[in-house]
Amino acid sequence: MDDKLFEEQMKNLKNSYDQMSTISSVEKIVGEVKKAEKPYKRKVKLTLPYVASFIGVLFIAGLLATQLLTQPENTGTNSPPSKNTTENQPVTANDIETAMNEIRGYYERKVDELEEELGFQDVEQYAFVQEAKEAVQKFEERTSYKTQTELKNYSDNVKQIIDLRVSLPNEEFELIRTMTEDGQVSDEEIIKYIEKLEYLKERYTDKWQKVYEEYQAEVTNISEYVKKLNSPDFSSGSKEYIDLVEEMKRMGYIFIDGGEGTIYFKIDYTKISEAFNGQMSKEVEGYLDIQQGAKITSDGALIITRKELEERIILLEGIILKNPTFKDLNEVKSLYQLWVHYYLTGLNNTPIKNEQGYIDEEILNEFDRFISANPNSETSKIVQSFLNKLRDQNNQLTDELKQEVETLIPSNLKVVPNGLSVNLLPLTDQMMETYEAYKQSENNQLLDGPFAGNNTIDLVVARMYMYALVTEDYEMAYILTYKGPGSDVPTLEQFTSEIKGAELNIQKLSNEVKMVNWTYTQDGERVEHTYIKQNGETAQFKLRLEDGVPKVEYRSLF
């Protein structure tokens, strides 16, 4: 063989190998899928399609190299050996269109399946489904690929995102289990699974309250009945009741004594701990321990050592800083803030000062050791600032200094004041029933509730209004708009035209909002919602009473 031809063929072979995609984590996958967006840090192990493709290309590469090295200079044929394999053939526009159609069809089938499994038509409005939808849209925006392998890998990776996000929690849980062959599971995988359960909790609260009502009077021993509910062979009650109990446990919930004679449910954190024991980071393990009810105080005293308290505070800091978009983050921040306060100021029955109010010398030394042991910790900066203030007043712990602890906590670790976790979209079954009935009758009594969770009447009206905008039901949005004194509301036609022209993205707002804060003014006549997004930004939404019922002020959210 001609040396120049040989070198050229080997160079082509190397280039085709170098061009092969090696994406092996969701952080990089979604970095490809969402090139223009913030990276989505979620580690995913190599999938079987990718591994097969990778091994196949290596085998072909090895085979071709062997053939090239052993081939005689004169083959006796008129055509040289093929330089291309199926994997590195040029990608045509038809190839890309076929892949796009396959991905779009796969996504839509999964959405249809999830709608059927959950029993309602708006599952695409959940933020976790929106993640998959955005991944599909980014895939459809890609117009060129260097090789067939690159196209296939990208397609497989988007499919995996769809499998994870457009699925029931128990299905995602099992998929995560299959992705831990190396003995580790990433924080993001667990956090995303927990978030999905948090999103769906409102829907199951709605269902549980409705079905459990008829059995509540029969329950005489709450703790014993909770045990029966959580047993694998629960069989007491109607088929609808039994099926709901089993479905909730299958999804990943566990029943608990809600206090005051009620039975509620929460995420089964023990199930997660046991399934991934030894495979999670210490931060997530610590978080799960906390959520399982691990106590640190009793009767105004620490029941763990101060060293253990230090370790748990550092664990909480890690959870907060590593997962800034976690839906349950405010609860973690609240706990962090409380424990830092315990650590710096002590408790009534575990004091850190003497009778004269001065901090014990051993505690001061402990603060110094903590700072030295955790030099890059945000908590160390808090402890150092507190220690400086203590020394400025001769190590005396005053009530004024205790009150200053909260001011030392930086914004990225501080709890959002008065914020409550909230879903905006989709609506619960009860809200959808109210929506349809109110649209037909405009009977204000339908809005009286009560509604599940944190849903006040004004929040329900706000959510129904947003749902109307997303579904382009402008007639209903107009019905829910305040038309009392000083409203200056245009006609329905003008209202509709203005909303269409405003290009509002309510779905995006719903995806980003984590919490809501309420402000009532003028004796409750006006209500302002502050929706707090995961990045700390806020959006304002105003309502005003009309015949005693909150309605949306004209141009709110415009």
Side-chain angles (χ1 to χ4, degrees), residues 281-299:
S281 71
K282 61 182 182 179
E283 288 86 5
V284 170
E285 286 180 352
Y287 171 74
L288 294 176
D289 287 342
I290 293 163
Q291 294 295 63
Q292 289 175 74
K295 296 176 64 177
I296 71 163
T297 65
S298 178
D299 297 325

Side-chain angles (χ1 to χ4, degrees), residues 197-472:
L197 286 168
E198 286 289 351
Y199 275 114
L200 291 173
K201 187 186 288 184
E202 180 184 57
R203 175 159 296 276
Y204 282 107
T205 297
D206 202 9
K207 291 176 175 289
W208 172 249
Q209 289 180 347
K210 180 180 179 181
V211 176
Y212 175 63
E213 249 177 24
E214 61 182 284
Y215 297 95
Q216 193 168 3
E218 302 174 11
V219 180
T220 57
N221 187 319
I222 295 289
S223 60
E224 287 300 315
Y225 195 74
V226 166
K227 289 180 183 178
K228 288 182 181 179
L229 286 171
N230 289 323
S231 66
D233 55 353
F234 178 75
S235 59
S236 177
S238 67
K239 183 177 185 304
E240 178 189 16
Y241 183 49
I242 295 170
D243 286 349
L244 178 62
V245 169
E246 293 306 312
E247 178 182 348
M248 291 170 68
K249 290 189 293 187
R250 185 171 63 254
M251 290 302 102
Y253 300 109
I254 188 171
F255 293 94
I256 58 172
D257 182 346
E260 299 181 357
T262 63
I263 293 178
Y264 194 52
F265 64 96
K266 69 174 185 177
I267 296 170
D268 189 351
Y269 294 101
T270 302
K271 174 184 175 181
I272 304 171
S273 294
E274 292 176 350
F276 301 106
N277 183 34
Q279 298 176 317
M280 300 174 289
S281 71
K282 61 182 182 179
E283 288 86 5
V284 170
E285 286 180 352
Y287 171 74
L288 294 176
D289 287 342
I290 293 163
Q291 294 295 63
Q292 289 175 74
K295 296 176 64 177
I296 71 163
T297 65
S298 178
D299 297 325
L302 275 180
I303 56 176
I304 61 174
T305 66
R306 285 183 60 83
K307 179 62 176 175
E308 289 174 315
L309 178 57
E310 289 178 0
E311 293 170 353
R312 295 195 182 198
I313 289 172
I314 291 296
L315 285 176
L316 284 184
E317 178 187 317
I319 295 168
I320 294 167
L321 297 181
K322 290 181 180 179
N323 303 282
T325 63
F326 183 25
K327 183 174 174 60
D328 203 26
L329 196 61
N330 213 51
E331 182 180 339
V332 182
K333 286 182 176 180
S334 180
L335 202 57
Y336 170 84
Q337 197 163 305
L338 180 64
W339 288 3
V340 167
H341 199 277
Y342 288 162
Y343 180 68
L344 295 178
T345 66
L347 290 88
N348 289 339
N349 294 327
T350 310
I352 61 172
K353 62 181 181 179
N354 58 29
E355 294 180 357
Q356 289 73 40
Y358 293 95
I359 297 288
D360 292 337
E361 190 65 30
E362 175 54 34
I363 297 295
L364 296 173
N365 293 335
E366 179 189 281
F367 288 159
D368 282 325
R369 287 194 299 271
F370 179 88
I371 295 166
S372 297
N374 304 280
N376 300 317
S377 164
E378 290 291 325
T379 308
S380 289
K381 297 176 184 177
I382 297 170
V383 176
Q384 184 66 70
S385 297
F386 183 77
L387 190 55
N388 293 340
K389 289 178 178 292
L390 266 178
R391 287 169 175 159
D392 288 343
Q393 51 192 46
N394 198 25
N395 299 330
Q396 186 175 28
L397 181 60
T398 62
D399 290 339
E400 291 75 17
L401 184 52
K402 286 182 179 180
Q403 294 174 4
E404 286 188 45
V405 170
E406 184 177 337
T407 66
L408 302 178
I409 298 175
S411 59
N412 59 346
L413 292 170
K414 185 177 292 186
V415 66
V416 178
N418 302 318
L420 289 177
S421 179
V422 65
N423 293 337
L424 296 181
L425 296 173
L427 303 182
T428 66
D429 291 342
Q430 181 190 10
M431 288 182 200
M432 274 306 306
E433 291 172 7
T434 302
Y435 181 97
E436 297 295 345
Y438 191 78
K439 183 178 179 180
Q440 295 299 320
S441 67
E442 297 188 42
N443 180 358
N444 288 339
Q445 291 182 347
L446 293 170
L447 301 176
D448 287 344
F451 295 92
N454 299 325
N455 290 290
T456 58
I457 295 174
D458 50 280
L459 183 55
V460 170
V461 170
R463 292 179 64 176
M464 291 198 304
Y465 178 84
M466 293 182 199
Y467 178 82
L469 294 184
V470 166
T471 57
E472 299 182 358

Side-chain angles (χ1 to χ4, degrees), residues 63-118:
L63 181 61
L64 284 175
T66 302
Q67 291 175 340
L68 287 170
L69 288 170
T70 58
Q71 185 146 5
E73 290 185 8
N74 297 310
T75 63
T77 64
N78 295 325
S79 58
S82 173
K83 293 187 290 185
N84 293 322
T85 65
T86 301
E87 287 82 356
N88 60 28
Q89 285 288 335
V91 181
T92 67
N94 185 62
D95 293 333
I96 296 173
E97 183 179 0
T98 299
M100 286 181 183
N101 290 337
E102 182 182 355
I103 287 295
R104 172 58 62 176
Y106 188 72
Y107 167 77
E108 291 178 353
R109 287 195 299 274
K110 294 290 286 186
V111 169
D112 289 343
E113 290 171 8
L114 191 58
E115 286 178 346
E116 184 176 352
E117 290 167 329
L118 287 176

Side-chain angles (χ1 to χ4, degrees), residues 489-534:
V489 179
T491 64
L492 173 59
E493 291 74 16
Q494 292 171 321
F495 175 83
T496 300
S497 176
E498 185 171 353
I499 288 180
K500 287 181 177 179
E503 298 182 354
L504 299 174
N505 194 336
I506 303 300
Q507 182 63 64
K508 185 173 185 292
L509 176 68
S510 177
N511 297 345
E512 296 174 346
V513 166
K514 298 295 182 181
M515 309 186 72
V516 62
N517 190 9
W518 285 269
T519 301
Y520 295 89
T521 58
Q522 297 183 9
D523 296 326
E525 287 291 319
R526 292 177 182 268
V527 187
E528 182 170 316
H529 293 174
T530 300
Y531 298 117
I532 305 162
K533 302 179 184 180
Q534 60 193 28

